[in-house]
Amino acid sequence: MAAGKFITFEGGEGAGKSTQVKILAERLNESGHETLLTREPGGSLKAEEIREFLLSGDAREFGALGEALLFYAARDDHLERRIRPALETGKWVICDRFSDSTRAYQGAAGGVKPAHLALLERIIVGETRPDLTIILDLPAEDGLARLAGRDNGKEGADNSGNGPDHFESLGIGFHEALRRGFLEIARDEPERCVILDAKQPVSAVAEDVWEAVFSRLQP
Ligand code: T5A
């Protein structure tokens, strides 16, 4: 059996990742591909527990490096229990955030040295790198405004399901640094990454996503 494909979605807060991963999974299912739709932090039982801790803000005292280690502990479990087994059985894995989020949030915006994050990535992710990463690009203030307009928290957005989680509540400067961080990743790895304009309506972004998947991975 051919190994599956691994697609990750990245971008700042409210860029529309959760919306687009669902649309892509449906489209791939309709074209006959079995998919695993998953997310980070989380995606496995233990990783979801770490997610709660991280998004509650209680992990803040560890600092950005400590948070990165927690994201990687969750990622290790997620890779071992869900992502690699799915890829081995030929599934297309679509993941809402992955290691580029650690590079952008804890690295570019949080100040952890890129070399330290690269080392963690080598140890934990290893060969299981995404075949394609879609970066949804949106000005920071637009993404935050979208979240402010959302009438209830996304499932698991924080411990209560209401209000901004720890990362959403950081200042605009942090979110602008994030955006620059993601754009830099795309510039450094154009063979893996595609940047899409997330300001467009949902259906137009979905078309761009499909075009990127179709042209790069020929589903
Ligand atoms: N994190 C994560 C790290 O710091 N390091 C890491 O290594 C990892 C993996 C995760 C948090 O953890 C951080 C990053 C995050 O802060 P989360 O709840 O999973 O927390 O947060 P996000 O992934 O940012 O999810 P959000 O829900 O905040 O944003 P999405 O998924 O990008 O956006 P979505 O699809 O939920 O849409 C947001 C709102 O906008 C509307 C939607 O209907 C919704 O109301 N919308 C649009 N409106 C207009 N036009 C469009 N094109 C729209 N698309 C969606």
Side-chain angles (χ1 to χ4, degrees):
M1 177 179 299
K5 299 284 184 196
F6 186 20
I7 302 172
T8 56
F9 279 70
E10 300 279 7
E13 306 289 323
K17 298 171 300 299
S18 312
T19 304
Q20 295 298 331
V21 291
K22 286 183 205 131
I23 297 173
L24 177 61
E26 270 170 32
R27 209 154 172 182
L28 283 169
N29 281 329
E30 279 163 14
S31 56
H33 296 284
E34 251 195 285
T35 58
L36 169 69
L37 180 51
T38 186
R39 70 172 180 184
E40 289 209 348
S44 65
L45 210 60
K46 286 289 161 202
E48 288 289 331
E49 288 175 13
I50 298 176
R51 175 190 175 93
E52 261 196 47
F53 180 51
L54 280 162
L55 298 201
S56 72
D58 289 348
R60 182 179 351 192
E61 287 172 30
F62 289 112
L65 179 59
E67 284 180 338
L69 294 172
L70 287 163
F71 278 109
Y72 264 102
R75 185 161 298 136
D76 187 43
D77 194 63
H78 186 207
L79 279 160
E80 252 337 273
R81 293 177 194 277
R82 307 271 332 269
I83 296 178
R84 291 190 184 111
L87 290 171
E88 278 159 19
T89 56
K91 287 194 180 129
W92 286 54
V93 175
I94 304 167
C95 193
D96 186 346
R97 294 195 181 279
F98 192 61
S99 50
D100 294 319
S101 282
T102 318
R103 290 198 211 173
Y105 279 75
Q106 283 67 49
V112 178
K113 286 185 183 150
H116 291 171
L117 296 179
L119 186 60
L120 283 170
E121 203 170 311
R122 251 199 328 277
I123 296 167
I124 306 294
V125 176
E127 296 298 306
T128 320
R129 285 185 297 271
D131 296 294
L132 172 65
T133 295
I134 292 175
I135 296 177
L136 298 182
D137 180 51
L138 188 69
E141 62 270 22
D142 294 18
L144 294 173
R146 278 186 191 171
L147 294 187
R150 193 163 61 186
D151 55 0
N152 59 358
K154 192 178 68 168
E155 186 195 348
D158 65 5
N159 276 346
S160 64
N162 296 306
D165 65 43
H166 162 51
F167 295 100
E168 285 170 12
S169 64
L170 295 170
I172 189 76
F174 180 89
H175 294 284
E176 281 164 353
L178 272 182
R179 185 184 188 198
R180 289 194 296 276
F182 281 120
L183 293 176
E184 213 167 289
I185 292 168
R187 196 198 54 209
D188 292 347
E189 295 185 56
E191 68 297 336
R192 171 173 70 86
C193 301
V194 174
I195 302 171
L196 299 182
D197 175 8
K199 257 189 130 164
Q200 308 174 85
V202 170
S203 59
V205 180
E207 274 317 301
D208 285 357
V209 167
W210 185 247
E211 160 65 26
V213 171
F214 199 84
S215 62
R216 300 267 182 138
L217 303 178
Q218 289 90 39

